[in-house]
Amino acid sequence: MKSLFTSAVAVLMLSACTHDPINPDPNPGPNLSHSCHPDTVYFANEVLPLFTANCASSGCHGDSNPADGLSLTTYDGIMDQVKAGDPMNSEVYEVLFETGNKQMPPPPAAPLDSLLKWKIYTWIAQGAQNNSCSDCDTTSGSFSQTILPIVQSQCQSCHSSGNASGGVVLSDHAHVVAAVNNSGLVAAIHRMNNSPMPPAASLSDCELAQFDKWIADGMPNN
Ligand code: HEC
């Protein structure tokens, strides 16, 4: 009995590590702001910024004259293309796997990486709620846990080695440090220069506070 139980726990832990979207929101409810649960993907925190950064630039799916009449800047607009609970039948998820001319986001942008696809999948599987969470943790200035996820979801679509907008690559710790030291990253994310970043919408106050804390700590590679 004991060993059965232990292996069941081990399987659960393993699947948590591989990001299997098996855990429904333990706190379901519409339009609620929770403290952040690690297994839940929140619309306002992660999904909307991802669409804003990757789909809403001009000529694509923004507010004014969106391509195919499809605006992806609001919950309602995104829900037009979502079947709650059923990612495999949700257009916004399916198009992420198209290739060639149908690739979304279109070239020269890179296809979304698997972590971002997983976030969209999980959010839809968990019921595609208009949810948000907050616990702004600025106590640890960790690069891998805090800063890199922000850069991956909000910057790398335009600042990868294959698509270095403005000559700025933000692929890893060394490149982010170089952008802080040499390319005005701080002024850009605080929207204090002529290149507010990300261009479409500001980082959240919490993300800015986390960036500031990491920089104040000396930009550790931790
Ligand atoms: C939609 C594409 C896009 C996204 C997303 C984006 N950038 Fe940029 N970025 C650009 C372009 C284009 C330029 C060059 C033109 C300019 O400076 O406005 C640029 C320039 C920059 C520069 C140089 C600014 C300067 O003064 O020369 C920095 C630093 C930068 N981005 C950081 C970031 C960071 C950090 C993020 C994420 C938090 C981000 N960018 C997200 C497109 C983007």
Side-chain angles (χ1 to χ4, degrees):
M1 249 348 248
K2 184 155 183 274
S3 69
L4 247 186
F5 176 75
T6 314
S7 50
V9 170
V11 166
L12 273 176
M13 290 175 66
L14 263 180
S15 57
C17 293
T18 53
H19 286 158
D20 262 358
I22 53 167
N23 299 305
D25 186 343
N27 267 327
N31 304 314
L32 291 182
S33 191
H34 309 291
S35 61
C36 300
H37 188 285
D39 291 334
T40 301
V41 176
Y42 295 89
F43 178 74
N45 300 66
E46 301 192 88
V47 176
L48 184 59
L50 210 160
F51 279 106
T52 307
N54 294 291
C55 318
S57 54
S58 64
C60 296
H61 301 292
D63 285 330
S64 59
N65 193 19
D68 293 340
L70 173 54
S71 171
L72 296 174
T73 53
T74 63
Y75 179 72
D76 289 344
I78 291 168
M79 287 308 285
D80 277 348
Q81 308 295 315
V82 166
K83 194 163 173 225
D86 190 358
M88 301 312 281
N89 286 307
S90 293
E91 193 69 16
V92 291
Y93 184 69
E94 288 171 343
V95 297
L96 303 179
F97 297 89
E98 298 285 7
T99 52
N101 287 341
K102 290 179 162 175
Q103 181 195 305
M104 287 291 147
L112 294 195
D113 70 29
S114 51
L115 174 66
L116 302 185
K117 287 177 180 162
W118 173 82
K119 284 188 175 174
I120 294 174
Y121 181 97
T122 304
W123 170 71
I124 296 172
Q126 291 175 340
Q129 300 173 65
N130 187 0
N131 55 0
S132 64
C133 73
S134 72
D135 11 89
C136 186
D137 178 7
T138 57
T139 52
S140 79
S142 158
F143 181 76
S144 59
Q145 298 295 312
T146 311
I147 303 303
L148 188 60
I150 299 173
V151 170
Q152 280 170 337
S153 65
Q154 311 242 32
C155 315
Q156 284 183 352
S157 60
C158 303
H159 292 290
S160 63
S161 50
N163 181 25
S165 301
V168 175
V169 175
L170 297 172
S171 53
D172 55 23
H173 177 262
H175 283 93
V176 176
V177 170
V180 172
N181 289 334
N182 309 322
S183 305
L185 184 148
V186 174
I189 61 174
H190 284 281
R191 313 184 96 66
M192 297 186 306
N193 65 9
N194 292 331
S195 302
M197 291 290 141
S202 177
L203 296 181
S204 71
D205 289 347
C206 184
E207 289 166 331
L208 289 170
Q210 290 170 327
F211 242 112
D212 291 344
K213 169 75 168 118
W214 174 72
I215 292 168
D217 285 351
M219 299 191 274
N221 187 8
N222 53 359

